[in-house]
Structures are given as structure tokens and as C-alpha cells.
Coordinates of all heavy atoms in Angstrom, one line a residue:
M81 N 37.8 12.2 -24.2 CA 37.7 11.1 -25.2 C 36.2 11.0 -25.8 O 35.2 11.1 -25.0 CB 38.1 9.8 -24.6 CG 39.4 9.8 -23.9 SD 40.8 9.7 -25.0 CE 41.0 8.0 -25.2
R82 N 36.3 10.7 -27.1 CA 34.9 10.7 -27.7 C 35.0 9.4 -28.6 O 36.0 9.0 -29.1 CB 34.6 11.8 -28.6 CG 34.3 13.1 -27.9 CD 34.5 14.3 -28.9 NE 34.4 15.5 -28.2 CZ 33.3 16.3 -28.0 NH1 32.2 15.9 -28.6 NH2 33.4 17.4 -27.3
A83 N 33.7 8.7 -28.8 CA 33.7 7.5 -29.4 C 32.9 7.8 -30.8 O 32.0 8.7 -30.9 CB 32.8 6.4 -28.7
S84 N 33.3 7.2 -31.8 CA 32.7 7.3 -33.1 C 32.7 6.0 -33.8 O 33.5 5.1 -33.6 CB 33.2 8.4 -34.0 OG 34.6 8.0 -34.2
V85 N 31.7 5.8 -34.7 CA 31.5 4.6 -35.5 C 31.6 4.9 -36.9 O 30.9 5.8 -37.4 CB 30.2 3.9 -35.2 CG1 30.0 2.6 -36.2 CG2 30.1 3.4 -33.8
D86 N 32.5 4.2 -37.7 CA 32.5 4.4 -39.1 C 31.4 3.5 -39.8 O 31.7 2.2 -39.8 CB 33.9 4.0 -39.6 CG 34.1 4.2 -41.1 OD1 33.1 4.3 -41.9 OD2 35.3 4.3 -41.6
K87 N 30.4 4.1 -40.2 CA 29.3 3.3 -40.8 C 29.7 2.6 -42.0 O 28.9 1.8 -42.5 CB 28.1 4.2 -40.9 CG 27.5 4.6 -39.6 CD 26.0 5.1 -39.7 CE 25.5 5.5 -38.3 NZ 24.2 4.8 -38.0
E88 N 30.7 3.1 -42.8 CA 31.2 2.5 -44.0 C 31.7 1.0 -43.6 O 31.7 0.2 -44.4 CB 32.4 3.1 -44.6 CG 31.9 4.6 -45.1 CD 31.0 4.6 -46.3 OE1 31.3 3.8 -47.2 OE2 30.0 5.4 -46.3
L89 N 32.2 0.9 -42.4 CA 32.8 -0.4 -42.0 C 31.9 -1.3 -41.2 O 31.9 -2.5 -41.3 CB 34.0 -0.1 -41.2 CG 35.3 0.5 -41.8 CD1 36.3 0.8 -40.8 CD2 35.8 -0.3 -42.9
C90 N 31.0 -0.6 -40.4 CA 30.1 -1.3 -39.5 C 29.2 -2.3 -40.2 O 28.7 -2.0 -41.3 CB 29.2 -0.4 -38.7 SG 28.0 -1.1 -37.6
I91 N 29.1 -3.6 -39.6 CA 28.2 -4.6 -40.2 C 27.0 -4.9 -39.3 O 26.2 -5.7 -39.6 CB 29.0 -5.9 -40.5 CG1 29.5 -6.3 -39.1 CG2 30.0 -5.7 -41.5 CD1 30.2 -7.8 -39.2
G92 N 26.8 -4.0 -38.3 CA 25.6 -4.0 -37.5 C 25.4 -5.3 -36.7 O 24.3 -5.8 -36.4
C93 N 26.6 -5.8 -36.3 CA 26.6 -7.1 -35.5 C 26.0 -6.9 -34.1 O 25.6 -8.0 -33.5 CB 28.0 -7.7 -35.5 SG 29.1 -6.9 -34.4
G94 N 26.1 -5.8 -33.5 CA 25.5 -5.5 -32.2 C 26.4 -5.8 -31.1 O 26.0 -5.6 -29.9
V95 N 27.6 -6.2 -31.3 CA 28.6 -6.5 -30.2 C 28.8 -5.2 -29.4 O 28.8 -5.4 -28.1 CB 29.9 -7.1 -30.8 CG1 31.0 -7.0 -29.8 CG2 29.7 -8.5 -31.3
C96 N 29.0 -4.1 -30.0 CA 29.4 -2.9 -29.2 C 28.2 -2.5 -28.3 O 28.3 -2.1 -27.2 CB 29.7 -1.8 -30.1 SG 28.5 -1.3 -31.4
E97 N 27.0 -2.6 -28.7 CA 25.8 -2.3 -27.9 C 25.7 -3.2 -26.8 O 25.4 -2.9 -25.7 CB 24.5 -2.3 -28.8 CG 23.4 -1.9 -28.0 CD 22.1 -1.9 -28.9 OE1 21.8 -2.9 -29.5 OE2 21.4 -0.8 -28.9
A98 N 25.9 -4.5 -27.1 CA 25.9 -5.6 -26.0 C 26.9 -5.3 -24.9 O 26.7 -5.4 -23.7 CB 26.0 -7.0 -26.6
E99 N 28.1 -4.8 -25.4 CA 29.2 -4.6 -24.5 C 29.1 -3.3 -23.7 O 29.4 -3.3 -22.5 CB 30.5 -4.6 -25.2 CG 31.8 -4.6 -24.5 CD 32.0 -5.8 -23.6 OE1 31.7 -6.9 -24.2 OE2 32.5 -5.7 -22.5
C100 N 28.6 -2.3 -24.4 CA 28.6 -1.0 -23.7 C 27.4 -0.2 -24.2 O 27.6 0.7 -25.0 CB 29.9 -0.2 -24.0 SG 30.0 1.3 -23.1
P101 N 26.2 -0.5 -23.8 CA 25.0 0.2 -24.2 C 24.9 1.6 -23.8 O 24.1 2.4 -24.4 CB 23.8 -0.6 -23.6 CG 24.4 -1.3 -22.5 CD 25.9 -1.6 -22.9
E102 N 25.7 2.0 -22.8 CA 25.8 3.4 -22.5 C 26.3 4.3 -23.6 O 26.0 5.5 -23.5 CB 26.7 3.5 -21.2 CG 26.2 2.9 -20.0 CD 26.7 1.4 -19.8 OE1 27.2 0.9 -20.9 OE2 26.6 0.8 -18.7
V103 N 27.1 3.7 -24.4 CA 27.8 4.5 -25.5 C 27.3 4.2 -26.8 O 27.1 5.1 -27.7 CB 29.3 4.3 -25.4 CG1 30.1 5.1 -26.5 CG2 29.8 4.9 -23.9
F104 N 27.0 2.9 -27.1 CA 26.7 2.4 -28.5 C 25.3 1.9 -28.6 O 24.7 1.3 -27.6 CB 27.6 1.3 -28.9 CG 29.1 1.8 -28.9 CD1 29.9 1.3 -27.8 CD2 29.6 2.5 -29.9 CE1 31.2 1.8 -27.7 CE2 31.0 2.9 -29.8 CZ 31.7 2.6 -28.8
R105 N 24.7 2.2 -29.7 CA 23.4 1.6 -29.9 C 23.2 1.4 -31.5 O 23.8 2.1 -32.3 CB 22.2 2.5 -29.4 CG 22.0 3.7 -30.2 CD 20.9 4.5 -29.6 NE 20.4 5.6 -30.6 CZ 19.3 5.4 -31.4 NH1 18.6 4.3 -31.3 NH2 19.0 6.3 -32.3
I106 N 22.4 0.4 -31.7 CA 22.0 0.2 -33.2 C 20.9 1.1 -33.6 O 19.9 1.1 -33.0 CB 21.7 -1.3 -33.4 CG1 22.7 -2.3 -33.0 CG2 21.2 -1.5 -34.9 CD1 24.0 -2.1 -33.7
A107 N 21.2 1.9 -34.6 CA 20.3 3.0 -35.0 C 19.2 2.4 -36.0 O 19.3 1.2 -36.3 CB 21.1 4.0 -35.7
D108 N 18.3 3.2 -36.4 CA 17.2 2.7 -37.2 C 17.8 2.2 -38.6 O 17.1 1.4 -39.3 CB 16.3 3.9 -37.6 CG 15.5 4.3 -36.3 OD1 15.5 3.5 -35.3 OD2 15.0 5.4 -36.3
D109 N 19.0 2.6 -39.0 CA 19.6 2.0 -40.3 C 20.2 0.8 -40.1 O 20.8 0.2 -41.0 CB 20.6 3.1 -40.9 CG 21.8 3.4 -39.9 OD1 21.8 2.7 -38.8 OD2 22.5 4.2 -40.4
G110 N 20.2 0.2 -38.8 CA 20.8 -1.2 -38.6 C 22.2 -1.1 -38.3 O 22.8 -2.2 -38.1
L111 N 22.8 0.0 -38.3 CA 24.2 0.2 -38.0 C 24.4 0.9 -36.6 O 23.6 1.6 -36.2 CB 24.9 0.9 -39.1 CG 24.7 0.3 -40.5 CD1 25.4 1.3 -41.6 CD2 25.4 -1.0 -40.6
A112 N 25.6 0.7 -36.1 CA 25.8 1.3 -34.8 C 26.1 2.8 -34.8 O 26.6 3.3 -35.9 CB 27.0 0.5 -34.1
E113 N 25.8 3.4 -33.8 CA 26.3 4.8 -33.7 C 26.6 5.1 -32.1 O 26.2 4.3 -31.3 CB 25.1 5.8 -34.0 CG 23.9 5.7 -33.2 CD 22.7 6.6 -33.7 OE1 22.8 7.0 -34.9 OE2 21.9 6.9 -32.9
A114 N 27.4 6.0 -31.9 CA 27.9 6.4 -30.6 C 27.3 7.6 -30.1 O 26.9 8.4 -30.9 CB 29.5 6.5 -30.6
I115 N 27.2 7.7 -28.8 CA 26.6 8.9 -28.2 C 27.5 10.2 -28.5 O 28.7 9.9 -28.8 CB 26.4 8.9 -26.7 CG1 27.8 8.5 -26.0 CG2 25.4 7.8 -26.3 CD1 27.8 8.8 -24.5
E116 N 26.9 11.3 -28.6 CA 27.7 12.6 -28.9 C 28.4 12.9 -27.5 O 28.0 12.6 -26.4 CB 26.8 13.7 -29.2 CG 25.9 13.4 -30.4 CD 26.6 13.7 -31.7 OE1 27.5 14.6 -31.7 OE2 26.4 13.1 -32.7
G117 N 29.5 13.6 -27.6 CA 30.2 14.2 -26.5 C 31.1 13.4 -25.8 O 31.5 12.3 -26.2
E118 N 31.7 14.0 -24.7 CA 32.8 13.3 -24.0 C 32.3 12.1 -23.2 O 31.2 12.0 -22.7 CB 33.3 14.3 -22.9 CG 34.2 15.4 -23.5 CD 35.5 15.0 -23.9 OE1 36.2 14.2 -23.1 OE2 36.0 15.4 -25.0
L119 N 33.2 11.1 -23.3 CA 32.8 9.8 -22.4 C 33.3 10.0 -21.0 O 34.4 10.6 -20.7 CB 33.7 8.7 -23.1 CG 33.4 8.3 -24.5 CD1 34.2 7.1 -24.9 CD2 31.9 8.0 -24.8
T120 N 32.4 9.6 -20.1 CA 32.9 9.8 -18.7 C 33.8 8.6 -18.4 O 33.9 7.6 -19.1 CB 31.6 9.6 -17.8 OG1 31.0 8.3 -18.1 CG2 30.5 10.7 -18.2
E121 N 34.5 8.8 -17.3 CA 35.5 7.8 -16.8 C 34.8 6.5 -16.6 O 35.4 5.4 -16.9 CB 36.0 8.2 -15.4 CG 37.0 9.4 -15.5 CD 38.3 8.9 -16.1 OE1 38.7 7.8 -15.8 OE2 38.9 9.6 -16.9
E122 N 33.5 6.5 -16.1 CA 32.8 5.3 -15.8 C 32.6 4.5 -17.1 O 32.6 3.3 -17.0 CB 31.4 5.5 -15.2 CG 31.5 6.2 -13.9 CD 31.6 7.8 -14.0 OE1 30.7 8.4 -14.5 OE2 32.6 8.2 -13.5
V123 N 32.3 5.0 -18.2 CA 32.1 4.2 -19.4 C 33.2 4.0 -20.3 O 33.2 3.2 -21.2 CB 30.9 4.8 -20.2 CG1 29.6 4.9 -19.4 CG2 31.2 6.2 -20.8
L124 N 34.3 4.8 -20.1 CA 35.4 4.8 -20.9 C 36.0 3.3 -21.1 O 36.3 2.9 -22.2 CB 36.5 5.8 -20.5 CG 37.7 5.8 -21.4 CD1 37.3 6.2 -22.9 CD2 38.7 6.9 -20.9
E125 N 36.2 2.6 -20.0 CA 36.8 1.3 -20.0 C 35.9 0.3 -20.8 O 36.4 -0.4 -21.7 CB 37.0 0.8 -18.6 CG 38.0 -0.4 -18.6 CD 38.4 -0.7 -17.2 OE1 38.7 0.3 -16.4 OE2 38.5 -1.9 -16.8
K126 N 34.6 0.4 -20.6 CA 33.6 -0.5 -21.3 C 33.6 -0.1 -22.8 O 33.5 -1.0 -23.7 CB 32.3 -0.4 -20.8 CG 32.1 -1.2 -19.5 CD 30.7 -0.9 -18.9 CE 29.6 -1.7 -19.7 NZ 28.3 -1.6 -19.1
A127 N 33.7 1.2 -23.1 CA 33.7 1.6 -24.5 C 34.9 1.0 -25.2 O 34.9 0.6 -26.3 CB 33.6 3.1 -24.6
Q128 N 36.1 1.1 -24.5 CA 37.4 0.6 -25.0 C 37.3 -0.9 -25.3 O 37.7 -1.5 -26.3 CB 38.5 0.7 -24.1 CG 38.9 2.3 -23.9 CD 39.7 2.9 -24.9 OE1 39.9 2.3 -26.0 NE2 40.3 4.0 -24.5
E129 N 36.6 -1.6 -24.4 CA 36.3 -3.1 -24.6 C 35.5 -3.4 -25.8 O 35.8 -4.2 -26.6 CB 35.7 -3.6 -23.4 CG 35.6 -5.1 -23.2 CD 37.0 -5.7 -23.0 OE1 37.9 -5.1 -22.4 OE2 37.2 -6.8 -23.5
A130 N 34.4 -2.6 -26.0 CA 33.6 -2.7 -27.1 C 34.4 -2.4 -28.5 O 34.3 -3.2 -29.4 CB 32.5 -1.7 -27.1
K131 N 35.2 -1.4 -28.4 CA 36.2 -1.1 -29.5 C 37.0 -2.4 -29.8 O 37.1 -2.7 -31.0 CB 37.0 0.1 -29.2 CG 38.0 0.4 -30.3 CD 38.9 1.5 -29.8 CE 39.9 1.7 -31.0 NZ 41.3 1.8 -30.8
E132 N 37.6 -3.0 -28.9 CA 38.5 -4.1 -29.2 C 37.7 -5.3 -29.7 O 38.3 -6.1 -30.4 CB 39.1 -4.5 -27.8 CG 40.4 -3.5 -27.6 CD 40.9 -3.7 -26.1 OE1 40.8 -4.8 -25.6 OE2 41.5 -2.7 -25.7
Q133 N 36.4 -5.4 -29.3 CA 35.7 -6.6 -29.8 C 35.0 -6.4 -31.1 O 34.4 -7.3 -31.7 CB 34.6 -6.9 -28.7 CG 35.2 -7.5 -27.4 CD 34.3 -8.0 -26.5 OE1 33.2 -8.4 -26.9 NE2 34.6 -8.1 -25.2
C134 N 34.9 -5.2 -31.6 CA 34.3 -4.9 -32.9 C 35.0 -5.7 -33.9 O 36.3 -5.5 -34.1 CB 34.3 -3.4 -33.3 SG 33.8 -3.1 -35.0
P135 N 34.4 -6.6 -34.7 CA 35.1 -7.5 -35.6 C 35.6 -6.7 -36.9 O 36.4 -7.4 -37.6 CB 34.0 -8.5 -36.0 CG 32.7 -7.8 -35.8 CD 32.9 -6.9 -34.7
V136 N 35.2 -5.6 -37.2 CA 35.7 -4.9 -38.4 C 36.4 -3.6 -38.1 O 36.7 -2.8 -38.9 CB 34.5 -4.6 -39.3 CG1 33.9 -5.9 -39.9 CG2 33.4 -3.7 -38.7
E137 N 36.7 -3.4 -36.7 CA 37.5 -2.3 -36.3 C 36.9 -0.9 -36.8 O 37.5 0.0 -37.2 CB 38.9 -2.2 -36.8 CG 39.6 -3.5 -36.2 CD 41.0 -3.6 -36.4 OE1 41.7 -2.7 -37.0 OE2 41.7 -4.6 -36.0
A138 N 35.5 -0.8 -36.6 CA 34.8 0.4 -37.0 C 34.7 1.4 -36.0 O 34.3 2.6 -36.2 CB 33.4 0.0 -37.4
I139 N 35.2 1.1 -34.8 CA 35.0 2.1 -33.7 C 36.4 2.8 -33.4 O 37.4 2.2 -33.3 CB 34.7 1.4 -32.3 CG1 33.2 0.7 -32.6 CG2 34.7 2.3 -31.2 CD1 32.8 -0.2 -31.4
T140 N 36.2 4.1 -33.3 CA 37.3 4.9 -32.9 C 37.1 5.6 -31.6 O 36.0 6.1 -31.4 CB 37.6 6.0 -34.0 OG1 37.8 5.4 -35.3 CG2 38.8 6.9 -33.7
I141 N 38.1 5.6 -30.7 CA 38.0 6.4 -29.5 C 39.2 7.2 -29.4 O 40.3 6.7 -29.3 CB 37.8 5.5 -28.3 CG1 36.5 4.6 -28.3 CG2 37.8 6.2 -26.9 CD1 36.3 3.6 -27.3
E142 N 39.0 8.6 -29.4 CA 40.1 9.5 -29.2 C 39.7 10.7 -28.7 O 38.5 11.1 -28.6 CB 40.7 9.7 -30.7 CG 39.7 10.2 -31.6 CD 40.3 10.3 -33.0 OE1 41.4 9.7 -33.3 OE2 39.7 10.9 -33.9
Ligands
SF4_277 S1 30.7 -4.1 -33.0 FE1 31.5 -3.0 -34.7 S2 30.5 -4.0 -36.5 FE2 29.3 -4.6 -34.7 S3 27.7 -3.1 -34.6 FE3 29.4 -2.3 -33.3 S4 30.5 -1.0 -34.7 FE4 29.2 -2.2 -36.0

């Protein structure tokens, strides 16, 4: 499973970073980005939680 952020939708609210900083961070452009590569079992659940809390549904995990 990999996480990605649609920067067209992201409003930079920071919820995903607060929920799961292992996977998401606010980049220099003020919008979120996800780490590259496969998510480990340890972070997957938190990443899913962050996805659910994103107010604009900008996060995809697949
Ligand atoms: S929670 Fe959603 S809108 Fe907020 S920073 Fe993360 S991806 Fe962007």
C-alpha cells in the first residue's frame, strides 16, 4: 500500500501530519505530501486514520 496526496484538493490544514507524521508532512509549498514507497504495517492504520480525517478527501491509499 502506498499513500499519495492530491495537491489540487489539499488545503494544507495539517490534519494528516498531526495524525500520522510518519507518512505525511506539510511541504515547502504549504501543502501535504506523502512519503515515497510502501507503507509498513506499523503506519498503515494511522495513515488510514489520517485519510479518513482529511476534510477534502485529498488522500489516497492503495
Ligand atoms: S488533511 Fe487533507 S487537506 Fe489537510 S493537509 Fe492533509 S491532505 Fe491536505
Side-chain angles (χ1 to χ4, degrees):
M81 305 286 269
R82 291 166 188 261
S84 61
V85 174
D86 184 341
K87 289 200 181 233
E88 298 286 320
L89 296 175
C90 177
I91 55 172
C93 70
V95 165
C96 55
E97 184 180 51
E99 185 68 36
C100 186
E102 296 88 345
V103 175
F104 302 101
R105 72 179 196 102
I106 301 297
D108 292 342
D109 62 5
L111 301 174
E113 62 185 22
I115 57 164
E116 302 278 331
E118 286 286 318
L119 300 180
T120 61
E121 285 290 320
E122 295 83 63
V123 300
L124 184 56
E125 197 168 320
K126 279 176 76 178
Q128 296 275 17
E129 192 65 31
K131 175 184 180 231
E132 281 167 31
Q133 291 191 23
C134 175
V136 294
E137 298 185 5
I139 296 172
T140 303
I141 296 175
E142 58 188 11

